[in-house]
Amino acid sequence: MRFSSPTSSDGVREQIFQLGEIPGVLWTPQDATGPRPLIVLGHGGGQHKKAPGVVSRAHHFVTELGFAAVAVDVPNHGDRTDEQYDRVVAENQARVAAGEDLSSVIAGFQELAARQTVPEWRAVLDVVQELDHVGTGPVGYWGISLGCGLGVPFVAAEPRVTAAVLGLGGAFGAAADLARAITVPVEFLVQWDDERVPRDRSLALFDALGSPEKTLHANPGKHGDRLPLHELDSTTRFFARHLGQLG
């Protein structure tokens, strides 16, 4: 892992890194020493590791809880370009334009991307947790939209994740089967008027989760609408309860 020169603002230290072909960013308290909980943040479709919503949540988890947070670019997002994904995106756009069901297109893309992102994210966890100011503390996951589509297989596969916030995703393709393998506590977010993910698919994914402790948070709004501020407060309490609190 190669780090660029760190920067600090408002008590948060930011380190841009490169792990092989994977570009990412790590946020920690400015003077952090010793192990602490870590949140893996999955960005949405068309976004990247430093999208405003990702950065604001990372800073919140660092300043309010004393946690570390990490995010990486999904293939063909942010600083990553990939000719294979370029072709897939063009083909998917043509399929939707020809009238194919959007849900099947979403499922195919997410399953393709997950085959690459799940081992990449696990490798990032391996290396980040070797850092003295992060360590092998509890791990949480936060991801909605594409971050949910890739987060479900990641959380199902990664035993170090002990709590997850997911949402704005649905039971597409193999997602429901993977969700049944998730047994950690989950908060699941639904936009009630989501035009991209049918409500019944979202509720089906929530129902499929194997977690004995799971809560459904439904809010009015479409897929791209800003989540209410009270959801950030709820997420903070959720992670503090299940991962501990240092801040």
Side-chain angles (χ1 to χ4, degrees):
M1 178 179 281
R2 292 182 292 105
F3 284 103
S4 64
S5 298
T7 60
S8 296
S9 65
D10 300 323
V12 179
R13 185 187 194 202
E14 178 181 289
Q15 296 175 277
I16 304 293
F17 65 81
Q18 189 80 25
L19 178 63
E21 300 298 318
I22 311 167
V25 57
L26 173 68
W27 297 272
T28 54
Q30 186 168 336
D31 299 317
T33 58
R36 64 199 55 254
L38 171 68
I39 304 294
V40 179
L41 295 159
H43 66 72
Q47 298 184 7
H48 52 86
K49 63 185 178 299
K50 288 196 66 177
V54 173
V55 173
S56 66
R57 281 182 177 81
H59 277 238
H60 183 83
F61 295 145
V62 171
T63 58
E64 295 298 316
L65 297 172
F67 289 5
V70 66
V72 301
D73 285 331
V74 171
N76 218 43
H77 289 71
D79 294 325
R80 302 182 76 171
T81 58
D82 189 302
E83 292 184 0
Q84 176 193 8
Y85 284 92
D86 281 338
R87 290 193 299 270
V88 170
V89 169
E91 291 168 1
N92 286 349
Q93 290 172 340
R95 289 164 62 190
V96 172
E100 187 169 339
D101 178 38
L102 178 61
S103 62
S104 65
V105 174
I106 292 173
F109 177 80
Q110 291 182 347
E111 289 172 11
L112 171 67
R115 287 195 289 272
Q116 182 171 351
T117 57
V118 170
E120 287 184 347
W121 291 359
R122 298 185 76 180
V124 168
L125 258 186
D126 290 341
V127 177
V128 167
Q129 287 199 310
E130 291 177 353
L131 300 171
D132 290 340
H133 59 301
V134 178
T136 56
V139 177
Y141 179 80
W142 187 97
I144 60 174
S145 191
L146 177 62
C148 177
L150 303 180
V152 166
F154 173 66
V155 175
E158 179 47 70
R160 285 172 289 186
V161 175
T162 57
V165 176
L166 302 164
L168 277 65
F172 302 128
D177 288 337
L178 291 165
R180 292 185 184 97
I182 295 176
T183 57
V184 300
V186 174
E187 279 194 358
F188 192 85
L189 305 174
V190 174
Q191 291 291 85
W192 204 244
D193 309 300
D194 196 321
E195 76 284 8
R196 290 179 59 85
V197 181
R199 188 185 304 161
D200 61 341
R201 295 291 189 95
S202 291
L203 298 178
L205 183 59
F206 174 76
D207 286 342
L209 289 165
S211 308
E213 181 183 341
K214 58 182 180 180
T215 57
L216 179 70
H217 293 222
N219 295 286
K222 294 187 176 182
H223 192 83
D225 290 348
R226 185 183 297 273
L227 292 171
L229 286 176
H230 67 76
E231 290 295 355
L232 180 59
D233 293 335
S234 177
T235 295
T236 304
R237 293 192 300 271
F238 173 79
F239 281 136
R241 184 166 67 253
H242 292 291
L243 304 182
Q245 181 171 356
L246 298 180

